[in-house]
Amino acid sequence: MEVIIKADYAEMSKEAAKIIANLLYEKPNAVLGLATGSTPIGLYKELVRMHKEEGLDFSKVVTFNLDEYIGLPATHDQSYNYFMNDNLFKYINVNPENVHVPNGMARDVEKFCEWYEDEIDKAGGIDLQVLGIGGDGHIAFNEPGSSLASRTRMKTLTEETIVDNARFFANKDDVPRYAITMGVGTILEAGHCLMLANGEKKAGTVKKAIEGPVTQMVTASALQLHPQVTVILDEPAASKLELKDYYKWVYNNKPKC
Ligand code: GLP
């Protein structure tokens, strides 16, 4: 696991955008796994800037989003479909046919989840998966107690997640209780996982995920089992890490060979 600590949110976002841009220069038809939440907004802004000012090309890119609330149509301003369009897709030249965000209105959720997994397989698997981390240590909506081998499925949200996400809704009772989410097992099959976290509020959770034991109680800790993970943090989110100085030294002294 490579841990990169940047001074602030803007630097964290730029570093993440650079990693994605480098992948697209190397592989223009890369398959990107994308995340929602407030964390990746700066990353998406930077990608939009790179598209507009530097010609970063998304025309052959295929995308799969991690999750979606059940019961919210794509037109709902708090749906993840809406979020992705509003923060990224409408500003770049991605082909809408190549975009996949789970359908929160699917009639048969189980069938939909199987189809979603098949589509990821058909696309050749996810090359790079962007991840945030929830206050309770979840990745996507894999709440504490999720199997570390789980696949795309319906998940019931915890009270903590509902309270965390209530800030985006008019009131707490409007936050959906259920979501469709890629499983931890699905995420671990991505070629490269790129997790971002910022702010002091996330420091304790980040420490548990990176330096704590691998446990289904903090599903982000499963990333420790993946051979290629990059974690990019701002200083406040990194503030509780035991090996903070070591990670910084490693990053600043990369051998040139
Ligand atoms: C939601 C999403 C996660 C995201 C998390 C953190 O629960 N399902 O994918 O990582 O929120 O959100 P934020 O980035 O707003 O802290």
Side-chain angles (χ1 to χ4, degrees):
M1 184 179 282
E2 182 182 27
V3 181
I4 301 174
I5 301 167
K6 290 283 162 183
D8 55 26
Y9 179 74
E11 291 300 313
M12 177 199 82
S13 304
K14 272 189 205 154
E15 184 78 14
K18 239 193 279 167
I19 292 174
I20 293 181
N22 285 341
L23 170 66
L24 299 191
Y25 292 135
E26 231 172 75
K27 186 177 180 187
N29 61 345
V31 180
L32 297 180
L34 298 175
T36 52
S38 45
T39 309
I41 290 178
L43 156 66
Y44 296 151
K45 278 208 172 105
E46 179 62 9
L47 289 176
V48 169
R49 189 200 63 76
M50 288 170 125
H51 169 66
K52 290 193 169 145
E53 293 175 15
E54 296 166 17
L56 184 62
D57 181 24
F58 291 86
S59 62
K60 296 194 181 73
V61 167
V62 177
T63 70
F64 286 92
N65 259 80
L66 287 169
D67 46 15
E68 176 61 288
Y69 291 114
I70 288 181
L72 298 192
T75 48
H76 190 290
D77 65 358
Q78 289 311 324
S79 75
Y80 287 168
N81 273 275
Y82 189 97
F83 173 100
M84 288 310 300
N85 198 39
D86 207 37
N87 285 287
L88 183 67
F89 297 148
K90 72 178 181 192
Y91 301 111
I92 59 174
N93 64 335
V94 67
N95 178 349
E97 282 177 16
N98 292 344
V99 165
H100 307 81
V101 182
N103 176 7
M105 299 302 283
R107 272 219 220 130
D108 185 334
V109 171
E110 212 171 299
K111 243 199 200 138
F112 177 83
C113 292
E114 275 169 34
W115 174 83
Y116 204 68
E117 289 269 339
D118 284 350
E119 287 299 295
I120 295 173
D121 278 351
K122 270 197 240 157
I126 291 169
D127 292 304
L128 182 140
Q129 176 66 58
V130 177
L131 296 160
I133 181 169
D136 62 6
H138 67 220
I139 40 175
F141 268 134
N142 291 288
E143 297 289 38
S146 293
S147 160
L148 301 186
S150 51
R151 312 301 306 185
T152 303
R153 70 209 182 291
M154 188 197 91
K155 196 72 202 167
T156 306
L157 306 185
T158 60
E159 184 62 19
E160 184 174 349
T161 297
I162 289 173
V163 170
D164 273 357
N165 292 358
R167 66 190 195 276
F168 300 113
F169 291 81
N171 68 67
K172 198 185 128 207
D173 294 339
D174 294 340
V175 184
R177 284 249 140 212
Y178 305 99
I180 292 175
T181 180
M182 275 190 209
V184 180
T186 319
I187 292 167
L188 291 181
E189 279 172 12
H192 182 184
C193 290
L194 176 61
M195 189 174 87
L196 310 181
N198 67 287
E200 206 182 338
K201 221 178 132 207
K202 294 276 171 79
T205 314
V206 164
K207 181 179 168 48
K208 281 189 206 162
I210 299 180
E211 296 182 337
V214 174
T215 166
Q216 63 176 3
M217 295 308 287
V218 179
T219 55
S221 68
L223 295 173
Q224 294 175 32
L225 300 170
H226 191 287
Q228 207 195 341
V229 175
T230 306
V231 178
I232 313 181
L233 307 169
D234 69 354
E235 280 283 355
S239 59
K240 294 202 169 138
L241 293 176
E242 197 179 316
L243 298 182
K244 186 174 149 185
D245 294 336
Y246 171 72
Y247 303 136
K248 284 188 179 177
W249 197 92
V250 171
Y251 179 72
N252 292 322
N253 295 276
K254 276 192 191 160
K256 302 255 179 304
C257 53

